């Protein structure tokens, strides 16, 4: 009996605490130049770090662009939130932990671009998004943590990790495209509390999907087939693990050029699930010379150029993922692949718009968040 009433009191105290603090972050409140007064120059600080990192390794830029997509595209549904909420109350009661600022209802407590992909495994998030199979190969976490530390030094507690991620991905896109991909980032996002591998697995597209499944997946987030085709052009940069294109290694010639299939098979035999560049242009010269001698003139000294070559490769049936090839099998998407293959400037512009649109996938009105001190852990869960 005693135990029960303690539990009730504790729940009431916790519930009362829950409604205080934490500004809502509806998409409509995002603003270009959001930190102009509160953290002057923050965009330059971030850019400086991104430039420095990409000078060392351009692949990090690809990782940032993918992180933006994988953060923004995942909605966390209420049951994952409820669970986190329960754990939080439990934590509060057993350790007198401060839970101020956390959404009471906890409906849709984390959604869209909320930095949830950056959270590490913890008691409250035992299976974070990072652990989802679909998130294989995610990287650039250290860079973001380095940037966050620099920004915290300059203006503590002001700039969210979710905003830093978007700024950094925007800068990476710009650098890798020689400035052709560019847009102003509206900011003012808050960092979410919940990160769920199940949700990421459910919400993110898989490389084995058909064009219809891809279109449906994007439609669920308000993106049409044209935007699916535009955004898939990001596969002109970066790499994928062999396990992400196992099926491609035995597909028939109508789906993949046999010489390219041989090249992929060779690369994949060189280690335990190694990663292979998405764009044949970024492959080692000797490997291309051996399997696709006609392509050696395309091999570049500097890798990871973000441009419309993805569409040329796709039409030539030399792309890595089944999902990429699938875009050729539907008339609507095929027309778009042709359009972007024919006009690189058009793609630069439309890709910029679509990336911006991704970055605006909102936390719903009334959601609560925080400004994390470190991007990999929630402030409320540090113990
Ligand atoms: C259309 C559905 C999509 C599917 C099925 C898909 C699938 C994949 C897969 C399987 C990988 C390789 C992961 C690995 O094995 O390590 C990958 C890499 C990548 N994806 Fe996607 N992707 C899609 C859309 C997008 C979008 C919309 C973007 C960004 C706008 C994007 C950007 C990237 C980048 C940049 C990489 C390379 C990452 C790196 O090198 O670190 N992808 N994608
Ligand atoms: C192509 O995809 C669009 C969008 O999902 C769909 O409406 C259309 O029926 C598809 N067309 C074909 C020929 O599959
Ligand atoms: C390519 O797209 C750009 C940007 O939309 C446009 O101005 C230009 O006219 C297009 N070029 C061709 C050849 O269609």
């Amino acid at each position: 009996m005693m135990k029960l009433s303690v539990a009730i009191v504790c729940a009431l105290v916790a519930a009362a605490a829950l409604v205080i603090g934490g500004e809502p972050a509806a998409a409509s409140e995002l603003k270009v130049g959001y930190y102009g007064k509160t953290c002057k120059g923050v965009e330059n600080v971030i850019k400086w770090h991104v430039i420095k990192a990409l000078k060392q390794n351009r692949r990090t830029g690809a990782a940032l662009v993918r992180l933006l997509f994988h953060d923004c595209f995942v909605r966390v549904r209420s049951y994952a939130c409820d669970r986190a909420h329960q754990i939080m109350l439990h934590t509060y009661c057993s350790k007198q932990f401060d839970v101020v600022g956390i959404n009471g209802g906890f409906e849709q407590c984390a959604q869209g671009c909320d930095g949830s992909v950056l959270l590490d495994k913890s008691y409250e998030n035992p299976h974070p998004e990072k652990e989802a199979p679909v998130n294989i190969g995610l990287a650039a976490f250290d860079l973001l943590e380095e940037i966050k530390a620099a920004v915290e030094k300059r203006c503590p507690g002001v700039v969210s990790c979710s905003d830093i991620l978007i700024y950094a991905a925007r800068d990476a896109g710009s650098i890798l495209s020689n400035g052709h991909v560019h847009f102003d980032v509206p900011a003012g996002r808050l960092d979410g509390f919940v990160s769920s591998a199940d949700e990421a697995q459910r919400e993110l597209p898989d490389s084995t999907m058909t064009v219809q499944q891809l279109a449906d997946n994007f439609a669920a987030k308000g993106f049409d087939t044209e935007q699916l085709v535009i955004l898939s052009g990001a596969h002109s940069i970066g790499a994928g693990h062999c396990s992400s294109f196992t099926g491609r290694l035995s597909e028939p010639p109508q789906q993949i050029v046999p010489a390219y299939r041989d090249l992929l098979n060779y690369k994949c035999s060189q280690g335990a699930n190694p990663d292979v560049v998405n764009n044949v242009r970024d492959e080692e010269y000797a490997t291309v010379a051996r399997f696709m001698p006609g392509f050696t003139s395309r091999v570049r000294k500097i890798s990871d150029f973000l441009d419309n070559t993805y569409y040329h490769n796709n039409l030539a049936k030399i792309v890595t993922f089944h999902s990429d090839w699938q875009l050729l099998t539907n008339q609507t998407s095929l027309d778009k692949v042709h359009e972007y293959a024919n006009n690189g400037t058009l793609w630069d512009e439309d890709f910029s718009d679509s990336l911006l649109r991704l970055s605006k996938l909102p936390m719903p009105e009334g959601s609560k968040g925080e400004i994390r001190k470190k991007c990999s852990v929630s402030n409320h869960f540090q113990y």
Side-chain angles (χ1 to χ4, degrees):
M1 197 60 199
M2 181 62 196
K3 232 179 187 170
L4 184 65
S5 62
V6 166
I8 289 170
V9 169
C10 190
L12 286 174
V13 169
L18 288 173
V19 297
I20 311 165
E23 293 302 312
S28 57
E29 293 172 39
L30 297 179
K31 258 178 40 192
V32 172
Y34 183 83
Y35 297 110
K37 292 212 176 76
T38 53
C39 193
K40 206 162 178 300
V42 66
E43 292 191 44
N44 289 330
V45 173
I46 295 169
K47 191 184 293 174
W48 185 85
H49 283 271
V50 175
I51 290 172
K52 187 171 68 115
L54 267 58
K55 264 191 191 144
Q56 267 172 15
N57 185 359
R58 288 169 67 89
R59 266 289 297 285
T60 306
L64 285 171
V65 172
R66 183 166 177 238
L67 269 185
L68 183 159
F69 174 50
H70 283 223
D71 190 29
C72 296
F73 229 55
V74 177
R75 295 181 292 191
V76 175
R77 287 173 216 173
S78 48
Y79 69 84
C81 298
D82 287 344
R83 184 173 180 284
H85 192 199
Q86 274 166 18
I87 291 174
M88 215 142 37
L89 285 180
H90 168 78
T91 310
Y92 179 83
C93 288
S94 57
K95 304 196 180 176
Q96 292 299 301
F97 208 74
D98 171 24
V99 289
V100 172
I102 291 175
N103 187 11
F106 238 77
E107 305 274 295
Q108 306 175 307
C109 55
Q111 190 163 5
C113 316
D114 66 347
S116 55
V117 73
L118 307 176
L119 286 174
D120 276 345
K121 183 187 172 93
S122 67
Y123 182 61
E124 295 75 17
N125 290 300
H127 298 291
E129 291 173 34
K130 282 178 183 180
E131 286 187 1
V134 74
N135 275 335
I136 183 174
L138 287 187
F141 297 112
D142 291 351
L143 170 61
L144 289 167
E145 211 63 277
E146 172 196 312
I147 297 175
K148 176 63 174 171
V151 170
E152 281 300 292
K153 237 186 198 164
R154 197 180 173 93
C155 14
V158 171
V159 185
S160 66
C161 290
S162 32
D163 279 341
I164 290 176
L165 167 54
I166 308 293
Y167 283 131
R170 181 270 312 263
D171 293 337
S174 171
I175 294 164
L176 297 182
S177 67
N178 282 342
H180 291 294
V181 169
H182 61 92
F183 56 97
D184 293 332
V185 172
R189 296 167 191 79
L190 289 175
D191 300 324
F193 300 103
V194 180
S195 178
S196 155
D198 284 350
E199 299 290 356
Q201 196 62 31
R202 212 187 319 271
E203 302 260 333
L204 288 165
D206 186 86
S207 60
T208 61
M209 282 182 170
T210 64
V211 68
Q212 195 56 57
Q213 289 171 319
L214 292 166
D216 291 347
N217 177 280
F218 273 61
K221 304 286 174 359
F223 288 75
D224 62 18
T225 302
E226 175 169 6
Q227 286 155 342
L228 162 67
V229 174
I230 294 166
L231 284 165
S232 296
H235 291 162
S236 66
I237 55 173
H241 289 80
C242 290
S243 58
S244 296
F245 53 85
T246 331
R248 294 286 278 164
L249 301 175
S250 55
E251 275 175 3
Q254 309 91 278
Q255 300 185 21
I256 184 169
V257 163
Y260 184 59
R261 194 183 58 198
D262 293 345
L263 183 153
L264 292 179
N265 269 302
Y266 165 74
K267 295 295 290 187
C268 291
S269 71
Q270 299 303 101
N273 197 19
D275 53 34
V276 179
V277 292
N278 284 333
N279 198 326
V280 68
R281 179 187 66 177
D282 294 342
E283 196 49 82
E284 296 133 23
Y285 187 92
T287 307
V288 178
R290 177 171 162 199
F291 291 96
M292 304 175 76
F295 278 77
T296 47
S297 63
R298 298 205 199 175
V299 175
R300 296 258 204 127
K301 283 218 173 68
I302 299 173
S303 71
D304 297 296
F305 269 103
L306 184 58
D307 61 15
N308 71 333
T309 48
Y310 165 83
Y311 302 96
H312 298 182
N313 292 346
N314 206 345
L315 290 168
K317 298 190 177 119
I318 49 172
V319 283
T320 39
F321 307 127
H322 179 78
S323 49
D324 292 326
W325 171 74
Q326 274 283 316
L327 299 181
L328 306 185
T329 67
N330 169 293
Q331 197 56 49
T332 312
S333 51
L334 176 61
D335 289 348
K336 289 294 160 189
V337 171
H338 278 291
E339 191 176 348
Y340 292 112
N342 290 333
N343 193 337
T345 311
L346 181 66
W347 182 76
D348 292 338
E349 289 174 2
D350 289 353
F351 184 72
S352 304
D353 289 348
S354 296
L355 214 52
L356 171 63
R357 199 184 150 93
L358 270 184
S359 82
K360 288 187 193 163
L361 277 169
M363 287 173 92
E365 202 143 358
S367 300
K368 304 286 158 127
E370 64 180 350
I371 308 288
R372 273 181 222 148
K373 294 191 176 77
K374 260 186 86 185
C375 292
S376 58
V377 273
S378 165
N379 299 341
H380 293 285
F381 296 150
Q382 287 179 39
Y383 61 92

